[in-house]
Amino acid sequence: RKEVEQDPGPFNVPEGATVAFNCTYSNSASQSFFWYRQDCRKEPKLLMSVYSSGNEDGRFTAQLNRASQYISLLIRDSKLSDSATYLCVVFSGAGSYQLTFGKGTKLSVIP
Amino acid sequence: DAGITQSPRHKVTETGTPVTLRCHQTENHRYMYWYRQDPGHGLRLIHYSYGVKDTDKGEVSDGYSVSRSKTEDFLLTLESATSSQTSVYFCAISVHGDTGELFFGEGSRLTVL
């Protein structure tokens, strides 16, 4: 069974802190990787794609380690508005549509 | 805003009744998806569509059917609702072809009593 595993948290961090989430995946044939953000009782929204070389978008940095089959998301200088659940998503693209969502990691940024 | 609307947004129904959820998009994207989200589970794919009248089953398709007679509408039907189908249902579209970059509707919260 293809799986995506995440620490469910919650991660409770003070404003301004740096926090990192990891995600592991079991399907070595996976092709694309993403982080989504989901606010309470809202729809998931794409936060960023994860590229092999790693990528950064403002305070957010995503990295991929194919050899160890994990993805990470680093958030620097946490804001109250970063409080949400972060979903790790893996796309195998093999045959029929294969997009696997992790169960999410909950982040609470505290004043 | 990817122009996705779901209806109804909330529905309470009784076991054994049929239920249809509608997903409407305004931008003629080819790929559309229905997911359900439950506590303790990641989002799980129910059915997806890659064009008018072209649909396929996802991971948890039992008890659900879909139809796509127009590009803009993707309907999810529960022929005879059961309590295990109480969930939040999300419709999604893929803007850049069949990739993992999805845009979701606001969700439809269904309660089956």
Side-chain angles (χ1 to χ4, degrees):
Chain A
R1 160 126 172 79
K2 305 180 184 68
E3 288 186 348
V4 175
E5 301 286 343
Q6 295 183 252
D7 182 340
F11 284 61
N12 299 315
V13 302
E15 272 187 290
T18 295
V19 62
F21 308 136
N22 287 330
C23 165
T24 60
Y25 60 95
S26 60
N27 183 0
S28 59
S30 298
Q31 299 178 4
S32 306
F33 309 88
F34 309 89
W35 285 101
Y36 281 71
R37 169 198 170 121
Q38 186 171 23
D39 293 299
C40 187
R41 300 179 73 85
K42 297 287 189 181
E43 75 273 21
K45 294 183 179 179
L46 179 64
L47 179 64
M48 58 197 304
S49 302
V50 185
Y51 304 120
S52 296
S53 56
N55 47 301
E56 188 173 309
D57 182 3
R59 298 181 293 108
F60 298 83
T61 300
Q63 293 202 310
L64 167 64
N65 185 318
R66 283 190 184 273
S68 300
Q69 295 184 201
Y70 80 80
I71 309 138
S72 64
L73 177 68
L74 182 78
I75 306 175
R76 291 180 298 279
D77 188 22
S78 299
K79 311 291 185 190
L80 295 177
S81 58
D82 294 333
S83 297
T85 296
Y86 291 84
L87 309 178
C88 174
V89 182
V90 174
F91 180 53
S92 73
S96 60
Y97 191 89
Q98 289 287 347
L99 189 69
T100 305
F101 285 77
K103 297 176 185 178
T105 297
K106 186 173 181 179
L107 171 66
S108 293
V109 181
I110 303 164
Chain B
D1 182 3
I4 309 168
T5 55
Q6 292 185 227
S7 59
R9 295 288 316 282
H10 300 274
K11 185 173 182 65
V12 179
T13 191
E14 293 188 349
T15 298
T17 59
V19 176
T20 295
L21 305 180
R22 179 182 183 234
C23 178
H24 178 79
Q25 59 147 328
T26 58
E27 299 181 4
N28 293 321
H29 294 294
R30 181 180 171 193
Y31 294 93
M32 298 184 75
Y33 313 86
W34 276 108
Y35 285 88
R36 62 178 288 174
Q37 187 173 38
D38 305 288
H41 294 273
L43 280 152
R44 293 181 291 174
L45 182 65
I46 305 171
H47 281 278
Y48 64 101
S49 171
Y50 38 96
V52 173
K53 298 190 190 309
D54 285 327
T55 65
D56 207 345
K57 296 179 179 180
E59 177 188 357
V60 290
S61 59
D62 287 349
Y64 302 94
S65 62
V66 289
S67 66
R68 193 164 179 202
S69 58
K70 298 185 292 184
T71 300
E72 59 266 35
D73 289 326
F74 192 30
L75 304 180
L76 176 70
T77 297
L78 292 66
E79 300 290 348
S80 178
T82 67
S83 58
S84 64
Q85 293 176 312
T86 291
S87 187
V88 180
Y89 292 87
F90 288 103
C91 174
I93 63 171
S94 180
V95 174
H96 303 296
D98 190 15
T99 70
E101 297 183 354
L102 301 183
F103 290 87
F104 288 85
E106 294 181 307
S108 295
R109 190 172 294 272
L110 176 67
T111 302
V112 183
L113 301 176

